[in-house]
Amino acid sequence: MLSRVLALTFLGSVGTGAVTNGIYFITKNGLGYGRLENLWLGVAFGATYIAAALTAGPMLRRAAAVSDRITTRVALAGILLVMAVVCQLPLLAERVAPSLLGPSIWLMVLVYSPASGALWPIVESYLSGGRREKDLRAAIGRFNIVWSFALVAAYWGMAPLLERFPFRILALLGVLHLLMVAIAWTFPVEPARHDHAEHTHPPVYEALLSLFRVLLFTSYLVVSAVNPIQPIILDRIGVAVAWQLPVASSWLIARVLIFALFERWHGWHGRWWMPWTGLGVLFFGFAFTVGSPAFGGQAVPVFILGLAALGAGLAAIYCGALYYAMAVGTAGVDAGGKHEAVIGTGYTIGPGIALIALAISHASSPPGSEADPEVFRIWTIILTGLAAGGLGLWGWRVARKRIRP
């Protein structure tokens, strides 16, 4: 069963990774989007993702109460079919009605994002259901390696098509989702469950879960503030279009390596240094990524170093958040839904912070002129740093309240 879940995870992550992270490269090259349009697209993606992730479990229960034919497996297959269809809309618009190309991208994102928000809690319930301790750690470790490696494959696979055929990328993702339907149909009708009476977790896990959930939100806030403006930064530091996605994949590669390390080494379980180290490395990477154009001739290696640190910090936080969510929770759709909703909240607020920084840079520029990129970078770093620091402090206070003697 685990091998089938991981196969579906790989294909799904190629798709959702290309849309979640790669869509901004596609819109920049295919539609000429700049910072403002891409940041608003990021806000729309995150807001719809949250709603779907939080309601996936309750909606499944309501649907099952209406008809016993609506099982978790049926819901999974239906979601994948919807995702496959909407991925064809931009290429169809390009061929038939080019004037509708912009609206087709927005329609695709506004459907694909909530579908993705509902998809991953279901997949995570099949991954973790019925597993505990060593089996759960091994399954989550492999899951993290597979989905993160799939994003690297997506970035490198998109690169040859990005400059001339950006919308074909999305259409090909739709084909992958059809293949996922076939895999999903081999799953059990319902994911396995486990009984908490059979096992008690260490009390510190609940406190760490509270902290990691806040830091997971913080980490995706930071990353999603960077993702929409990555193509603009890469243009500014002189990276050719054909190499932008491979260069941008450095944070994804670093994340795979950290996931692989934590899959083999479990010394981080129950340790308080893990979340704080992850947060520190994450913000170091963010500052160097956004500030890389200020380094002149060394901008490209600084950008790569910053992105790699960003990916390493995100990986450390994500590992802890998912492990404790599944170890403390029920390992069902609701547990995965809360985990994914936290990610979606970061997806929404991160671009929102960057939009505020953009508004400040516009206000400080002469009327009718472009926003000063230096002012934008400085305010993005300041505002994101304040948000990350404030959230980290709040997370610590929440965690302290959950510590039991």
Side-chain angles (χ1 to χ4, degrees):
M1 179 61 201
L2 180 59
S3 61
R4 284 174 283 162
V5 172
L6 294 180
L8 186 137
T9 296
F10 179 84
L11 294 176
S13 296
V14 169
T16 55
V19 176
T20 303
N21 300 304
I23 191 69
Y24 308 111
F25 291 89
I26 293 171
T27 53
K28 174 188 163 292
N29 286 280
L31 295 173
Y33 275 17
R35 285 174 296 197
L36 181 64
E37 297 90 347
N38 271 348
L39 286 169
W40 276 116
L41 193 64
V43 170
F45 185 96
T48 51
Y49 192 97
I50 298 168
L54 282 176
T55 58
M59 289 295 288
L60 272 174
R61 288 191 291 273
R62 289 175 189 170
V66 172
S67 172
D68 57 7
R69 293 185 179 183
I70 305 177
T71 63
T72 302
R73 183 176 65 186
V74 167
L76 177 60
I79 290 167
L80 291 169
L81 280 173
V82 169
M83 297 170 86
V85 171
V86 297
C87 281
Q88 309 304 320
L89 294 180
L91 183 60
L92 183 64
E94 184 185 38
R95 299 283 178 84
V96 178
S99 62
L100 296 177
L101 191 48
S104 73
I105 284 284
W106 277 86
L107 178 60
M108 190 208 80
V109 168
L110 291 175
V111 174
Y112 193 99
S113 171
S116 181
L119 169 70
W120 291 112
I122 295 174
V123 174
E124 287 160 7
S125 70
Y126 276 106
L127 170 80
S128 56
R131 293 187 172 91
R132 271 298 188 185
E133 297 185 324
K134 184 178 179 180
D135 287 343
L136 179 62
R137 289 194 293 268
I140 290 177
R142 292 169 192 169
F143 173 77
N144 287 338
I145 293 170
V146 167
W147 73 255
S148 58
F149 177 74
L151 266 67
V152 177
Y155 265 48
W156 283 80
M158 290 165 65
L161 296 173
L162 182 62
E163 191 167 8
R164 296 183 58 196
F165 308 110
F167 303 113
R168 291 187 186 180
I169 295 170
L170 300 174
L172 288 171
L173 296 180
V175 176
L176 290 183
H177 285 306
L178 288 177
L179 180 57
M180 290 172 67
V181 173
I183 297 173
W185 210 247
T186 68
F187 283 17
V189 173
E190 298 291 342
R193 301 191 180 277
H194 58 240
D195 185 359
H196 273 264
E198 297 174 2
H199 175 79
T200 56
H201 52 265
V204 73
Y205 277 25
E206 294 185 20
L208 283 166
L209 173 60
S210 299
L211 176 58
F212 268 110
R213 276 206 170 130
V214 174
L215 297 189
L216 182 67
F217 163 48
T218 307
S219 68
Y220 273 87
L221 178 154
V222 171
V223 169
S224 60
V226 173
N227 277 341
I229 60 174
Q230 270 195 67
I232 290 87
I233 296 174
L234 287 163
D235 268 352
R236 186 170 177 80
I237 64 178
V239 178
V241 172
W243 282 99
Q244 286 188 1
L245 281 168
V247 169
S249 70
S250 54
W251 76 282
L252 305 173
I253 294 170
R255 184 165 63 178
V256 173
L257 295 176
I258 297 299
F259 280 159
L261 170 65
F262 288 159
E263 192 272 336
R264 305 309 304 171
W265 174 65
H266 299 157
W268 56 272
H269 294 145
R271 307 297 182 186
W272 286 98
W273 60 262
M274 168 89 157
W276 300 119
T277 302
L279 182 64
V281 173
L282 176 87
F283 192 72
F284 167 87
F286 165 77
F288 274 81
T289 299
V290 176
S292 59
F295 287 81
Q298 300 301 314
V300 174
V302 169
F303 179 86
I304 293 172
L305 172 66
L307 269 187
L310 192 77
L314 180 66
I317 293 170
Y318 186 95
C319 271
L322 182 58
Y323 173 71
Y324 294 120
M326 295 303 174
V328 173
T330 61
V333 176
D334 288 335
K338 290 176 184 177
H339 174 79
E340 295 297 331
V342 171
I343 292 173
T345 307
Y347 278 149
T348 309
I349 296 180
I353 288 175
L355 280 169
I356 294 171
L358 188 60
I360 293 172
S361 63
H362 270 297
S364 64
S365 302
S369 65
E370 290 283 329
D372 188 334
E374 296 299 326
V375 174
F376 171 71
R377 280 198 298 274
I378 290 168
W379 276 105
T380 301
I381 292 171
I382 290 172
L383 293 175
T384 306
L386 289 172
L391 286 166
L393 179 61
W394 177 51
W396 170 240
R397 294 183 65 182
V398 170
R400 286 187 65 187
K401 293 178 180 178
R402 299 296 298 271
I403 296 174
R404 300 203 306 264

